[in-house]
Amino acid sequence: MTRIMRGISRVDIRINSYIPITTAEGPNTRFCIWVQGCSLHCKGCANSAMWGKNGGTVYKVEELIDLIKSYKDKIEGITFLGGEPLEQIEAVTEISKAVQDIGLSVVVFTGYKYSELTGMETFKELTKYIDVLIDGRYEEEKQDFSRPWVGSSNQNYYFFSDKYDESIITKYKNKIEVRIDKNNNISLNGMGNFKEVLEAMR
Ligand code: SF4
């Protein structure tokens, strides 16, 4: 596995966006971070705007940690998705460690398969500080929204602490959140058929 690259620095992370409080991106209520940059380019990816390595906004890791901490009492944990979080694995690890230290849980989505990651020291280090990893590329021909937060049947859940277990797969359902800002801009997040939701809103 050679395609995973170092983060842009030990203290910076390039992200596309974040939502401070969402219930559509993992168990319970979470601060969700869409990491910018993904070299996997899955066919049918809904987030191709997050593929570019130079897009998004660069944050100091400490800056993002402080922001997460300011929501500590309103969230159960954080979720990394993207984009590809493991292409900035050092920064993701630093943030995960800091938020676990204050009692928050960490869920990480990756397009890489677990088997592609297991030999990597940086991945072993990350798994000390996360609770759930959801792996696997989005495979359009295996599209399946029956399980929470995943879009295709090849994707799997791995548990690294006793905070969560496989019961979350049946306890939670996929959902899509719709946000309309003061300028009437609509944004969607979560998992499901976004096209159908947008058509229903017309
Ligand atoms: S890994 Fe995720 S963000 Fe990257 S191309 Fe695949 S679906 Fe899109």
Side-chain angles (χ1 to χ4, degrees):
M1 177 69 249
T2 55
R3 295 181 68 195
I4 294 181
M5 297 178 292
R6 290 179 59 81
I8 48 183
S9 91
R10 291 194 74 77
V11 292
D12 291 345
I13 182 167
R14 186 180 291 276
I15 71 169
N16 177 274
S17 52
Y18 67 84
I19 294 177
I21 301 173
T22 171
T23 61
E25 308 288 359
N28 215 331
T29 305
R30 317 190 67 81
F31 189 112
C32 188
I33 301 161
W34 282 266
V35 173
Q36 179 70 33
C38 178
S39 61
L40 296 178
H41 297 190
C42 306
K43 184 166 166 266
C45 170
N47 288 346
S48 55
M50 300 182 196
W51 288 357
K53 302 280 183 205
N54 298 316
T57 306
V58 176
Y59 283 78
K60 294 282 178 207
V61 160
E62 283 304 324
E63 190 184 355
L64 207 45
I65 292 169
D66 287 344
L67 188 57
I68 294 165
K69 283 180 175 172
S70 71
Y71 289 91
K72 176 182 181 301
D73 296 333
K74 298 184 175 129
I75 54 175
E76 179 165 295
I78 69 167
T79 297
F80 288 102
L81 33 70
E84 177 45 61
L86 298 197
E87 292 181 0
Q88 298 184 59
I89 194 166
E90 285 88 354
V92 168
T93 301
E94 281 191 44
I95 295 168
S96 299
K97 182 173 187 314
V99 304
Q100 272 206 341
D101 281 349
I102 57 166
L104 298 176
S105 63
V106 180
V107 174
V108 177
F109 286 79
T110 178
Y112 291 97
K113 286 194 290 185
Y114 186 75
S115 58
E116 293 177 294
L117 301 167
T118 47
M120 294 173 50
E121 284 306 316
T122 49
F123 177 67
K124 276 187 204 153
E125 182 67 12
L126 173 68
T127 59
K128 294 180 192 168
Y129 308 113
I130 69 175
D131 299 283
V132 182
L133 180 88
I134 299 174
D135 83 332
R137 289 155 183 75
Y138 171 63
E139 294 189 23
E140 196 172 37
E141 61 283 5
K142 295 181 183 169
Q143 186 182 79
D144 174 14
F145 297 132
S146 66
R147 299 174 302 156
W149 320 304
V150 298
S152 59
S153 60
N154 59 296
Q155 295 168 309
N156 297 294
Y157 305 72
Y158 298 87
F159 301 93
F160 296 93
S161 75
D162 51 16
K163 263 193 183 153
Y164 305 114
D165 59 31
E166 290 189 348
S167 65
I168 61 171
I169 300 169
T170 48
K171 180 177 176 189
Y172 291 92
K173 303 287 174 218
N174 265 333
K175 64 164 94 164
I176 292 175
E177 286 179 349
V178 180
R179 287 179 173 73
I180 303 173
D181 71 15
K182 58 185 179 195
N183 298 318
N184 291 326
N185 295 314
I186 296 172
S187 61
L188 305 182
N189 71 286
M191 182 55 67
N193 192 326
F194 285 25
K195 206 170 151 204
E196 275 179 11
V197 172
L198 283 171
E199 276 166 10
M201 291 172 64
R202 285 200 185 112

